[in-house]
C-alpha cells in the first residue's frame, strides 16, 4: 500500500465524520489493512513473519494518525463553537441628558392638570420678546433683560431680531393661537442671556406657564405652584410669593420654595435638639438655602395690556404666568452648585442622573 496515500487522505480530512469514514476504510473489517493481512497466505513462508510485522506497524501508524487528526479537528471546532447560554458582552449604556429628563418630568407634571406643552421660536422679533409684553421700545425695563440681537435688517413693524431672553415671548403667540380662552400653556424652550458663572450659562432653558380663563385668581396661581413644588421637589415642599416687579404681570412676585435640606427652617438641627440662650433652636445655618427658602423664579397675574395685545378681553378673562429656569430647578432639586457642568460634556457627571 502506498504510505503517502493514507497520510494525504487523513491529513486533508476536515471533519470527524470524514475521519470516521477513513477509519473504516483502513482499519474496518473489510478495510485496507485486513485486505493486506488476508493476502498473507500468498506470501512465501520465510517472508510471512516480516510481512505481518510490517502490516501491523502500518495499522498502528494509521490508528495513531487518525487519532491525532481527530484531536486537531475537534479542537478547531471548539474554537468557533458558539455557546448561546454564555452571558453577552455589556456595552456602555448611554443616558438621557439631565435637562432632557427634567423637561420630560416637568411636562408630565403639568400635563396631568391639563396644560399643553408648546414650543415657540428661540429666535424672535423684539415684538414677541418685549412689545407684546408691555415693554414698548425705549422702555427702561428692556435693559433689565440683557439681550443678544441678530445682525439682520429689522422687521418694519416687529423690530429687531433677537435670541429670546425668556420664554415669555410664547405668551402673545399662544393667545393668538388659541384666540378664545381657556389657555393652559407650558412653553419649554431655550433662552439666551450673555452670562457665564456657576449659576448662569449663555444658553439655558425656561419653562413658562400661562393660564387664562374666567375668574382666574392668585389663589389658582398659588395652588398650581404648590402642586408643582410638591410633585417636582417632593412632598411637604411649600411655596411663598414675594412682591416683585415685571412689566408683563400685575401684581408680580418672586416665588420661593421651602428648602428640603432644612425643612424650611434655615437651620440644620443640633443632634441633642433644644434651644440656645436666646431661645433659638440649637443647630447650624443650612448651607443650601441660608434662610429656609430658595428662589424659584418670577410670576404674577397677566397684565391687562398683555391680554389686550393677545386679542383677549381683560374685562372677561384674567390669568397668571410664571417663568422658571430648568437648569435652576435641577440645581435646587439635587443640590448641585455649578450649572456649567450640565454642558461640559463630561459623561461622569451626566451618568449620575
Ligand atoms: N420672563 C421672566 C424672566 O425671565 C419670568 C416671568 C415669566 C415673570 C412670567 C412673570 C411672568 O425672568
Amino acid at each position: 500500500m502506498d504510505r503517502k496515500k493514507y497520510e494525504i487522505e487523513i491529513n486533508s480530512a476536515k471533519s470527524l465524520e470524514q475521519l470516521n469514514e477513513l477509519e473504516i476504510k483502513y482499519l474496518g473489517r473489510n478495510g485496507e489493512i485486513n485486505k493486506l493481512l488476508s493476502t498473507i497466505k500468498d506470501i512465501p513462508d520465510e517472508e510471512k513473519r516480516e510481512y505481518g510485522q510490517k502490516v501491523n506497524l502500518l495499522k498502528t501508524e494509521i490508528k495513531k494518525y487518525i487519532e491525532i487528526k481527530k484531536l486537531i479537528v475537534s479542537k478547531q471546532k471548539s474554537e468557533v463553537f458558539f455557546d448561546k447560554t454564555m452571558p453577552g458582552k455589556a456595552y456602555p449604556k448611554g443616558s438621557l441628558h439631565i435637562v432632557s429628563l427634567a423637561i420630560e418630568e416637568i411636562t408630565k407634571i403639568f400635563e396631568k392638570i391639563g396644560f399643553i406643552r408648546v414650543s415657540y421660536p428661540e429666535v424672535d422679533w423684539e415684538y414677541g420678546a418685549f412689545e407684546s409684553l408691555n415693554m414698548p421700545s425705549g422702555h427702561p425695563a428692556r435693559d433689565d433683560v440683557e439681550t443678544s440681537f441678530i445682525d439682520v435688517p429689522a422687521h418694519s413693524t416687529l423690530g429687531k431680531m433677537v435670541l429670546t431672553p425668556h420664554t415669555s415671548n410664547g405668551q402673545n403667540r399662544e393667545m393668538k393661537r388659541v384666540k378664545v380662552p381657556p389657555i393652559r400653556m407650558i412653553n419649554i424652550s431655550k433662552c439666551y442671556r450673555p452670562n457665564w458663572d456657576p449659576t448662569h450659562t449663555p444658553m439655558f432653558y425656561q419653562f413658562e406657564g400661562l393660564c387664562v380663563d374666567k375668574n382666574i385668581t392668585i389663589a389658582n396661581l398659588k395652588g398650581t405652584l404648590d402642586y408643582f413644588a410638591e410633585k417636582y421637589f417632593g412632598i411637604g415642599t411649600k411655596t411663598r410669593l414675594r412682591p416683585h416687579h415685571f412689566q408683563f404681570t400685575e401684581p408680580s412676585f418672586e416665588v420661593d420654595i421651602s428648602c428640603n435640606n432644612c425643612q424650611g427652617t434655615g437651620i440644620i438641627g443640633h443632634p441633642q435638639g433644644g434651644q440656645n440662650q436666646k431661645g433659638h433652636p440649637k443647630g447650624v445655618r443650612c448651607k443650601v438655602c441660608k434662610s429656609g427658602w430658595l428662589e424659584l423664579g418670577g410670576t404674577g397675574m397677566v397684565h391687562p395690556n398683555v391680554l389686550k395685545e393677545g386679542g383677549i378681553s381683560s374685562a372677561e378673562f384674567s390669568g397668571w404666568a410664571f417663568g422658571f429656569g430648568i437648569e435652576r430647578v435641577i440645581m435646587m432639586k439635587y443640590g448641585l452648585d455649578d450649572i456649567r457642568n450640565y454642558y461640559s460634556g463630561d459623561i461622569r457627571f451626566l451618568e449620575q442622573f
Side-chain angles (χ1 to χ4, degrees), residues 204-219:
F204 59 101
Y205 282 82
Q206 275 191 346
F207 58 112
E208 180 106 1
L210 174 68
C211 175
V212 183
D213 206 343
K214 286 184 174 146
N215 306 317
I216 293 293
T217 66
I218 297 177

Side-chain angles (χ1 to χ4, degrees), residues 6-274:
Y6 84 80
E7 267 184 34
I8 292 168
E9 256 188 330
I10 296 173
N11 225 352
S12 56
K14 296 215 163 44
S15 66
L16 288 176
E17 293 78 51
Q18 280 176 18
L19 287 164
N20 285 338
E21 274 167 26
L22 289 174
E23 202 169 11
I24 294 167
K25 178 178 171 186
Y26 288 108
L27 310 173
R29 203 165 353 128
N30 302 317
E32 304 262 331
I33 294 291
N34 276 351
K35 268 186 211 156
L36 288 174
L37 285 175
S38 67
T39 59
I40 201 159
K41 57 184 185 312
D42 309 326
I43 306 285
D45 281 351
E46 63 279 12
E47 290 173 26
K48 271 197 168 78
R49 188 186 157 87
E50 203 197 327
Y51 179 82
Q53 278 174 349
K54 273 190 181 165
V55 175
N56 272 326
L57 191 71
L58 185 63
K59 184 178 173 180
T60 326
E61 255 181 43
I62 293 177
K63 229 179 171 172
K64 197 100 214 132
Y65 218 93
I66 290 180
E67 225 169 76
I68 291 171
K69 186 66 188 180
K70 275 188 175 173
L71 270 178
I72 294 170
V73 167
S74 61
K75 182 144 190 290
Q76 279 170 348
K77 210 174 164 193
S78 77
E79 265 162 16
V80 293
F81 180 67
F82 174 67
D83 180 355
K84 54 185 176 296
T85 64
M86 259 168 56
K89 262 189 199 168
Y91 288 99
K93 235 205 266 167
S95 60
L96 284 176
H97 191 272
I98 181 174
V99 170
S100 306
L101 289 170
I103 290 177
E104 222 169 83
E105 193 179 347
I106 292 164
T107 305
K108 279 198 187 128
I109 292 175
F110 282 100
E111 267 173 4
K112 282 216 175 83
I113 52 168
F115 279 69
I116 294 167
R117 161 107 194 257
V118 295
S119 241
Y120 284 122
E122 293 159 15
V123 173
D124 206 346
W125 303 104
E126 278 179 294
Y127 171 80
F130 300 114
E131 257 99 329
S132 70
L133 293 165
N134 195 32
M135 285 189 270
S137 66
H139 196 284
R142 282 196 182 199
D143 300 339
D144 297 347
V145 192
E146 285 173 276
T147 308
S148 301
F149 292 89
I150 294 182
D151 195 9
V152 291
H155 189 281
S156 56
T157 52
L158 304 176
K160 289 188 233 159
M161 198 185 267
V162 298
L163 292 177
T164 51
H166 53 189
T167 40
S168 301
N169 70 315
Q171 291 192 19
N172 183 266
R173 288 180 181 268
E174 182 70 354
M175 288 176 196
K176 286 179 176 159
R177 181 183 76 85
V178 177
K179 294 190 182 81
V180 183
I183 294 173
R184 280 174 182 72
M185 165 193 96
I186 192 84
N187 173 28
I188 307 185
S189 171
K190 282 178 190 155
C191 303
Y192 302 84
R193 289 186 203 178
N195 298 315
W196 179 255
D197 62 41
T199 53
H200 297 94
T201 47
M203 187 283 293
F204 59 101
Y205 282 82
Q206 275 191 346
F207 58 112
E208 180 106 1
L210 174 68
C211 175
V212 183
D213 206 343
K214 286 184 174 146
N215 306 317
I216 293 293
T217 66
I218 297 177
N220 302 125
L221 168 62
K222 182 73 165 67
T224 309
L225 293 173
D226 283 344
Y227 161 79
F228 170 71
E230 285 228 328
K231 284 279 182 234
Y232 186 74
F233 295 105
I235 291 175
T237 310
K238 295 186 174 49
T239 66
R240 77 172 181 191
L241 300 175
R242 269 184 296 112
H244 198 73
H245 174 79
F246 295 105
Q247 275 299 116
F248 32 96
T249 45
E250 182 57 39
S252 303
F253 309 98
E254 267 189 334
V255 191
D256 295 335
I257 59 156
S258 58
C259 172
N260 282 337
N261 193 42
C262 61
Q263 275 71 50
T265 60
I267 290 182
I268 299 293
H270 191 270
Q272 267 95 50

